[in-house]
Amino acid sequence: MSFDLVFFGGTGDLTWRKLMPALFQAFRHGKLPEGGRILAVARDEQTDERYREWLKERFREVDGAKRPTDEEFEKFGALIHYRRMDLSQPEHYQGLKDWLDARNADTVVLYLATSPHLFTGICQQLGAVGLNHAKVRVVLEKPLGHDLASAQEINRAVRSVFAESQAFRIDHYLGKPSVQNLMALRFGNALFEPLWRRESIANIQITLAERLGVGTRGAFYDGTGALRDMIQNHALQLLTMIAMEPPSSNDADAIRDEKLKVLRSLKPFTAESVARDVVRGQYRAGSIEGKAVPGYLEEVKVPPDSQCETFVALRTEVNNWRWAGVPFYLRTGKRLAERDAQIVVNFRQVPHKIFPGGSQPNRLVIKLQPEDGLELQLLAQKGASHGEQLTPVSLDLDFDKAFATQRVGAYERLLLDAIAGRLNLFVRSDEQEQAWRWVEPILDAWEADTSGPRPYSCGSWGPAAASALVARDGFHWAEEQ
């Protein structure tokens, strides 16, 4: 299958840090379809050869194991081309179309790795020159809007040019092997599904924690914040995969229909419930791994009076028969104690204790990063004496060890799926808009709240109020148990 893959924003950070290395890995693993061309477009005046040299230099900053040898890059680089484009000039889109039409590949993938405010104009220009025919797919990188209105505006522009089946909205978390295993865990095994409901589960916790600060992205991050950056997309997508009903098939729309039902069933926020059930924080100077690090307000390009949140913890519920009354806790933040992404399913206590001493409920930990695996925490007897207390034991599965062959990274998987036309791991427009609809009351409440985010020290797990949020229900965050 011949394909042309076009990166708008071909000299941007996303392209050279994530997309090109992911494509190289697909090439190295022999997964990239034959007959492919990769075209980078940007405003710089460059030739194919100069762009390849520039990209080769950028590859030196990629992790060692993923870095190509000179011989590998020469073969991979032969697929790469460059074209100068001013995205505000209609004639440049016609030139792009002529370049693509000259070969007439089986599939054309247009990846908008640009600022989202350019999406509308790019899509309109693509439609104007006819680069929206049945062979074309458009990939939209997050953030898809700043709020519901801007997300709807982008979607209207995309729908005016492309069919929904041609629009691939990326959430790179969905490409992680560990996240894909959520589906396999629930719907490929008979073990957990009978227990996957309110009668057996006490609460579910989703944590997306980072040790890093905002670095050089201060200006961008200050206009975004943790809620928009992580909760509205990544965390909510994980929640839908945990809470969804079994789909009728592994078809993209069957899966996305069930995810949408979960989003529509989430307990809506009011100004009162935001004050009670949402905690926002902002990191202050502290230490990470024994090294002093600055607070958010001291970061480059961050206003000294910024009210931007770098931490969010919230409590919600899914109002349906399966989950009624079960709290879901979502948490994300920068400069936290660990780099840790995981989902913790806390089961209920046994209804009647027959063993001495205290007991802790069973727990399933779904590890997303830096480890990738499952840990099932149980209780057992050592067998040393009569009447002994139960001891915690774990069944621990490390997917990287279990599957010894090279596993596919998130962007590698998503790029290959876009080329193949598989929509399962991409977000549909109604999902995306419903997620914005759910978080908007939080944004509105914060806009009216002059108290601002709560401070927390770098290297901690966020404001103390986040622990109180869970303790109010009689529970604890996983690291506090």
Side-chain angles (χ1 to χ4, degrees):
M1 178 191 75
S2 62
F3 72 89
D4 283 331
L5 174 56
V6 181
F7 290 127
F8 291 82
T11 55
D13 276 12
L14 177 64
T15 299
W16 69 263
R17 286 185 187 276
K18 299 289 186 182
L19 303 180
M20 287 295 191
L23 277 178
F24 169 71
Q25 292 306 312
F27 175 81
R28 172 185 270 177
H29 301 153
K31 296 180 183 294
L32 199 63
E34 295 286 339
R37 291 190 306 182
I38 302 163
L39 176 66
V41 302
R43 297 186 64 162
D44 304 20
E45 194 69 65
Q46 295 197 60
T47 62
D48 289 356
E49 193 55 43
R50 281 178 57 196
Y51 181 78
R52 290 167 187 158
E53 291 173 1
W54 175 86
L55 184 63
K56 184 177 182 180
E57 190 65 28
R58 301 284 82 71
F59 264 99
R60 299 185 193 281
E61 299 182 35
V62 174
D63 290 344
K66 297 182 178 181
R67 198 176 300 157
T69 64
D70 289 344
E71 183 180 353
E72 285 177 323
F73 187 84
E74 184 176 353
K75 294 178 181 177
F76 176 64
L79 307 179
I80 298 173
H81 304 269
Y82 180 85
R83 186 175 185 86
R84 182 184 178 275
M85 276 189 71
D86 182 336
L87 298 180
S88 66
Q89 300 300 314
E91 62 271 20
H92 287 198
Y93 291 86
Q94 185 60 52
L96 173 63
K97 183 177 187 296
D98 294 342
W99 189 86
L100 294 168
D101 287 351
R103 191 170 77 122
N104 193 27
D106 296 327
T107 300
V108 176
V109 179
L110 306 173
Y111 198 121
L112 308 193
T114 67
S115 175
H117 78 271
L118 298 175
F119 288 175
T120 298
I122 294 174
C123 287
Q124 290 170 345
Q125 295 279 16
L126 292 171
V129 299
L131 267 177
N132 61 339
H133 53 79
K135 294 181 179 181
V136 175
R137 292 158 195 154
V138 62
V139 181
L140 305 168
E141 181 65 47
K142 85 170 191 76
L144 289 165
H146 192 73
D147 52 19
L148 177 59
S150 58
Q152 289 174 326
E153 181 182 354
I154 290 172
N155 285 331
R156 279 193 296 269
V158 173
R159 277 194 297 267
S160 71
V161 178
F162 299 98
E164 181 67 37
S165 60
Q166 294 175 280
F168 289 67
R169 297 170 186 82
I170 273 205
D171 184 325
H172 72 267
Y173 255 72
L174 298 185
K176 291 180 179 289
S178 50
V179 175
Q180 295 164 41
N181 263 312
L182 289 177
M183 295 283 288
L185 172 73
R186 289 196 56 196
F187 307 129
N189 300 281
L191 180 62
F192 289 111
E193 191 57 28
L195 304 176
W196 216 256
R197 57 193 67 249
R198 62 186 303 276
E199 290 83 2
S200 301
I201 293 176
N203 69 83
I204 293 177
Q205 302 176 10
I206 299 174
T207 294
L208 304 175
E210 300 178 86
R211 274 186 168 174
L212 294 175
V214 297
T216 59
R217 298 169 66 240
F220 163 78
Y221 193 88
D222 202 68
T224 304
L227 186 71
R228 291 183 175 96
D229 192 41
M230 298 295 287
I231 297 292
Q232 185 272 336
N233 38 70
H234 303 326
L236 280 186
Q237 283 294 316
L238 294 176
L239 187 154
T240 61
M241 297 181 80
I242 283 290
M244 65 188 281
E245 294 298 317
S248 59
S249 69
N250 200 30
D251 174 74
D253 277 331
I255 294 169
R256 298 190 294 182
D257 285 346
E258 297 302 335
K259 288 162 64 182
L260 179 61
K261 289 178 185 177
V262 175
L263 291 169
R264 288 175 172 167
S265 299
L266 286 174
K267 188 175 181 179
F269 280 107
T270 64
E272 292 75 20
S273 64
V274 169
R276 182 183 66 243
D277 294 335
V278 182
V279 176
R280 59 171 167 160
Q282 187 183 90
Y283 64 82
R284 297 292 187 259
S287 63
I288 299 286
E289 296 182 309
K291 297 180 180 179
V293 291
Y296 178 72
L297 299 180
E298 289 80 54
E299 298 280 20
V300 178
K301 297 183 180 179
V302 171
D305 58 349
S306 173
Q307 298 286 293
C308 177
E309 81 284 356
T310 61
F311 175 94
V312 177
L314 62 84
R315 179 195 190 278
T316 189
E317 296 180 17
V318 179
N319 291 332
N320 61 21
W321 275 45
R322 181 185 289 263
W323 297 111
V326 176
F328 286 72
Y329 304 106
L330 278 58
R331 175 177 61 165
T332 187
K334 290 189 174 294
R335 289 295 190 202
L336 297 182
E338 299 288 343
R339 175 177 177 256
D340 187 24
Q342 64 177 19
I343 302 167
V344 179
V345 180
N346 289 299
F347 291 91
R348 296 192 182 278
Q349 291 274 10
V350 293
H352 176 64
K353 297 179 183 179
I354 63 172
F355 296 98
S359 68
Q360 62 186 51
N362 302 136
R363 184 165 66 170
L364 175 67
V365 182
I366 304 166
K367 303 174 183 178
L368 307 178
Q369 68 179 30
E371 299 175 8
D372 176 9
L374 298 172
E375 182 182 348
L376 181 59
Q377 299 178 3
L378 307 170
L379 295 173
Q381 281 190 324
K382 294 180 180 178
S385 62
H386 176 72
E388 66 179 327
Q389 296 185 18
L390 299 182
T391 300
V393 294
S394 294
L395 302 177
D396 203 345
L397 171 61
D398 185 328
F399 286 132
D400 287 327
K401 292 180 180 177
F403 306 122
T405 56
Q406 182 68 44
R407 305 186 73 199
V408 176
Y411 271 110
E412 181 182 348
R413 171 67 185 270
L414 293 170
L415 284 164
L416 291 173
D417 279 3
I419 293 168
R422 292 186 291 264
L423 282 159
N424 297 47
L425 300 178
F426 295 86
V427 180
R428 204 167 59 190
S429 61
D430 50 4
E431 284 183 82
Q432 177 215 358
E433 290 181 14
Q434 185 59 34
W436 275 118
R437 194 170 285 113
W438 185 73
V439 302
E440 267 212 332
I442 304 176
L443 294 169
D444 292 342
W446 287 351
E447 188 71 26
D449 180 11
T450 58
S451 62
R454 300 169 186 263
Y456 65 95
S457 296
C458 293
S460 71
W461 279 104
S467 296
L469 174 72
V470 181
R472 194 176 66 214
D473 294 328
F475 305 124
H476 301 87
W477 290 108
E479 75 277 357
E480 297 172 343
Q481 296 179 0

